[in-house]
Amino acid sequence: MTISPTKLSDPTVRAVVTAINANDKKAFLALLTPGATMSDDGSERNLEDWIDREIFDSHGHMEVQSESDGGRALVANFRNETWGEMRTAWRFAVDGGRVTRFETGQA
């Protein structure tokens, strides 16, 4: 079962998923704190390079399957033009309505 982004519990995470699915990099970046960090499959990545490659330049899209931790942990089918579709886990650290860190990887 897919959860509509409008039904996600955490408003910041809801806005992040909406920005990803709209391919709206400007809106996505506005949701991050200065110096926000991220990891992919347990490896630290350069956030700006990663989001360009994995989300915005390759038209990434999330279909959320489940949420936990108050909406800050998601399991989603993520697809992009580079890798196709894969089951992924996402965890977001949010402070003051903005993301300070996110971690993603295969679920």
Side-chain angles (χ1 to χ4, degrees), residues 59-105:
H59 301 98
H61 191 272
M62 293 175 77
E63 290 183 357
V64 178
Q65 304 300 306
S66 65
E67 66 173 357
S68 57
D69 192 25
R72 293 187 178 177
L74 307 176
V75 173
N77 291 335
F78 182 81
R79 69 178 180 274
N80 65 27
E81 294 172 350
T82 303
W83 305 108
E85 185 169 307
M86 65 193 87
R87 187 169 173 84
T88 57
W90 298 74
R91 179 167 291 280
F92 297 89
V94 178
D95 183 25
R98 295 174 77 192
V99 175
T100 59
R101 177 174 177 79
F102 70 91
E103 299 171 352
T104 186

Side-chain angles (χ1 to χ4, degrees), residues 20-87:
I20 288 171
N21 289 351
N23 202 43
D24 189 342
K25 182 178 176 182
K26 184 177 178 182
F28 181 90
L29 290 174
L31 294 163
L32 302 178
T33 60
T37 60
M38 62 90 48
S39 69
D40 182 8
D41 282 329
S43 297
E44 292 299 310
R45 303 286 185 206
N46 176 292
L47 188 144
E48 187 90 24
D49 290 347
W50 190 90
I51 65 168
D52 283 346
R53 184 178 61 254
E54 301 293 337
I55 299 175
F56 297 106
D57 292 347
S58 60
H59 301 98
H61 191 272
M62 293 175 77
E63 290 183 357
V64 178
Q65 304 300 306
S66 65
E67 66 173 357
S68 57
D69 192 25
R72 293 187 178 177
L74 307 176
V75 173
N77 291 335
F78 182 81
R79 69 178 180 274
N80 65 27
E81 294 172 350
T82 303
W83 305 108
E85 185 169 307
M86 65 193 87
R87 187 169 173 84

